[in-house]
Amino acid sequence: MAKPTLTAVRGMNDIFPPETIAWQQLEQSFRSVLSRYGCAEIRLPIVEQSALFARAIGDVTDIVQKEMYTFADRNGDSLTLRPEGTAGVVRALIEHGGLRGQTPRLYYLGPMFRHERPQRGRYRQFHQLGVEFFGIASASADAEIIALSARLLAAAGIPAQLQLNSLGTPESRASYREILLQYLRPQAEKLCGDCQERLERNPLRVLDCKVESCQLVAKDAPQLLQHLDPESAAHFSLLQELLQGMGIAYVINPRLVRGLDYYHRTVFEWVAEGLGSQGTVLAGGRYDGLVEQLGGPETPAIGFALGMERILALRALAQLAEADAVPALFLGALDDAALTAVFRQAEGLRANGLSVVVAGPGSVKSLLKQAQRSAARYQVLVGAADLAAGDVLLKEQEGQGEWRGPWDELHRGLTALGVDFT
Ligand code: HAM
C-alpha cells in the first residue's frame, strides 16, 4: 500500500481500541480515588490568551520560550494551545470569584500541547490528569496531596520513587541564585549549549539538566536546601514528618528544581523505571504566589499533574484492555424477517447490561466469519424459520457450551452458560 500523504501531526497520536478501553479504565479508577479526597472536576478551554502562560509559567522557561503552540486568531489576538493546566485553573477561579472564602480542590483531565522533540514518553500532544488544592498554607496540604498522588499511582499499579525538594521563597531563592552563579560561572564552558545559554537567565535549571557534563558540575554545586529561610525549612520538616507518619517513603533530591517558574517551597516528582529519561510520571509543587501574580486574592496553593501516556506505557496495555473490549454475544440475522427480532432482543439484553453486537442479514457462512472476527464469547444465528419454529441455538464460540431453547428466553440460556446479569 502506498504511504498515505495525509498523516497525523508529528508527536500527536491516534488512540485506537483496545487502547482507548485501557484509558477509560484508568480514568475511571483515578476518578474514584479523587472523590475519596474531596476533589471535583473542572473543565476548561484548551486555548487561552498567550499572555496567561507567559505570566504564569515564566518568560524564561523552556516551555514559554520554545515549546508553545502560539498563533494569531482571525482577530489578531495571540492565543496558545495550553501547555499545562495550572495556569488555566487559576485564571478561571479568579475570573469567576471561586476563591472567595473557599478552599477548592479541583482536578482536570485532558490534552496539553508542547512542541518538544518527540520520543517514547514525550509527545507534542499529551494528556495530563492534574489536581490543584487552594487556600491551605500549611504543609498538611502538601502531605495530603502527596498521599493522593501515591494512591493514584498505586491504583494504576505503577511503582515509582518519590523525590522531594524545597525551593524556599522567592527571596531566599534570589540570594541562593547569586551563590549558585558564583559557583557556575567559572565552569560555564563545561556546560551543555542549552545551559550555557540559560546560565544567567535561569541558573537553577542547570541543576536538573540531564546532560552528563552538566550533572558532573551540578553534583558539587551549593545546595538550595542549605540556604532556606527558617519558615520554609520548618514547612519542609513538617511535611517530612507527616509523610513519615503515613508511611510514604521519599528521597530528598536537592537538585530537583522543576521547569516552571511558579513554584515556592515544596516541589516533588514521582519517577518510575522503564521509560529512560522520561521516567517522571507525576510532578508538582506549591505555588503560593501565583494567584496574586495573576490578579487574584493572596491564596496559597499546591498541585501536581500526571502524564497519562507515561502511566499507560508502563502498564501491560493491550492484555488489560482485551477482556472488556470483547462483546459477550454475537447475534446474526439470516434474513430480513429476523432482523427486527434480533434488534429487539439485542436492545433488551443491552438494557440488562450485556454487551451485544448485531449483524445481518447474511448467509450462514458470512455471519460465522463475522461472529469469529467479533471475538464474542457466544453466538446465535437466527432466521425467520427458527423464529417460527420457536427454538434457537446459543453456542459458545471457543468452548463446547450450548443451549437450545425458545428465542424469548435467550437470557435464560445465557445465564445457564455462565453469563452474570447482575
Ligand atoms: P510538568 O512537570 O510540566 O508539570 O508536567 C507534569 C507531567 O506531565 C510530567 O511529569 C509528565 O508525566 C507529563 N508530561 C509533561 N510533558 C510531557 C510530554 N511532552 N509528553 C508526555 N507527557 C508529558 C506541570 O505541567 C504542572 N502544571 C504540574 C502542576 C500542577 N504543578 C502544580 N500543579
Side-chain angles (χ1 to χ4, degrees), residues 63 67 83-87 108 112-114 116-117 119 121-132 258-260 262-263 269-270 278-287 302-311:
I63 297 182
E67 296 170 3
E84 60 102 54
T86 311
Y108 49 89
M112 308 289 160
F113 302 83
R114 295 184 195 174
E116 297 189 81
R117 196 144 39 84
Q119 62 181 80
R122 189 166 72 194
Y123 307 103
R124 290 180 174 173
Q125 174 173 334
F126 58 99
H127 296 75
Q128 285 187 344
L129 168 76
V131 183
E132 317 287 351
R258 311 274 302 120
L260 305 96
Y262 48 59
Y263 293 112
E269 292 191 355
W270 287 90
Q278 307 306 314
T280 304
V281 288
L282 183 156
R286 182 168 273 285
Y287 50 95
I302 181 164
F304 66 79
L306 62 79
M308 292 292 287
E309 282 83 357
R310 293 189 187 175
I311 301 257

Side-chain angles (χ1 to χ4, degrees), residues 36-59:
R36 281 178 254 163
Y37 287 77
C39 301
E41 185 180 3
I42 183 168
R43 297 193 184 188
L44 295 170
I46 286 170
V47 176
E48 298 272 0
Q49 294 185 39
S50 307
L52 172 67
F53 301 114
R55 274 175 64 187
I57 299 171
D59 276 334

Side-chain angles (χ1 to χ4, degrees), residues 160-344:
Q161 183 193 57
L162 171 61
Q163 302 189 357
L164 277 188
N165 194 17
S166 174
L167 299 180
T169 58
E171 296 73 38
S172 60
R173 205 155 58 241
S175 55
Y176 167 72
R177 189 180 178 279
E178 290 312 311
I179 297 167
L180 181 64
L181 271 173
Q182 276 173 22
Y183 169 83
L184 290 175
R185 273 190 197 120
Q187 312 192 64
E189 80 283 0
K190 295 187 201 153
L191 302 175
C192 74
D194 274 352
C195 283
Q196 289 193 13
E197 191 214 316
R198 65 187 167 204
L199 181 62
E200 297 294 326
R201 269 191 285 119
N202 200 355
L204 268 70
R205 286 296 284 169
V206 176
L207 296 178
D208 76 348
C209 178
K210 302 287 182 278
V211 175
E212 203 182 330
S213 57
C214 298
Q215 289 190 348
L216 278 174
V217 173
K219 193 164 60 72
D220 298 320
Q223 294 187 357
L224 178 53
L225 275 181
Q226 311 301 324
H227 297 85
L228 283 187
D229 55 290
E231 270 183 51
S232 295
H235 194 273
F236 197 45
S237 75
L238 175 58
L239 168 61
Q240 292 179 60
E241 235 173 77
L242 292 169
L243 291 177
Q244 285 161 19
M246 286 188 282
I248 296 176
Y250 60 87
V251 295
I252 291 179
N253 175 358
R255 291 196 294 278
L256 180 64
V257 297
R258 311 274 302 120
L260 305 96
D261 272 359
Y262 48 59
Y263 293 112
H264 286 200
R265 297 198 169 142
T266 311
V267 287
F268 62 99
E269 292 191 355
W270 287 90
V271 182
E273 278 178 24
L275 285 176
S277 59
Q278 307 306 314
T280 304
V281 288
L282 183 156
R286 182 168 273 285
Y287 50 95
D288 290 351
L290 184 61
V291 178
E292 211 181 355
Q293 193 187 313
L294 295 181
E298 201 183 319
T299 310
I302 181 164
F304 66 79
L306 62 79
M308 292 292 287
E309 282 83 357
R310 293 189 187 175
I311 301 257
L312 282 153
L314 290 165
R315 308 207 329 160
L317 257 187
Q319 287 161 3
L320 194 125
E322 211 122 42
D324 259 46
V326 170
L329 176 66
F330 177 91
L331 277 183
L334 291 162
D335 42 49
D336 281 339
L339 200 54
T340 315
V342 159
F343 273 116
R344 195 173 333 112

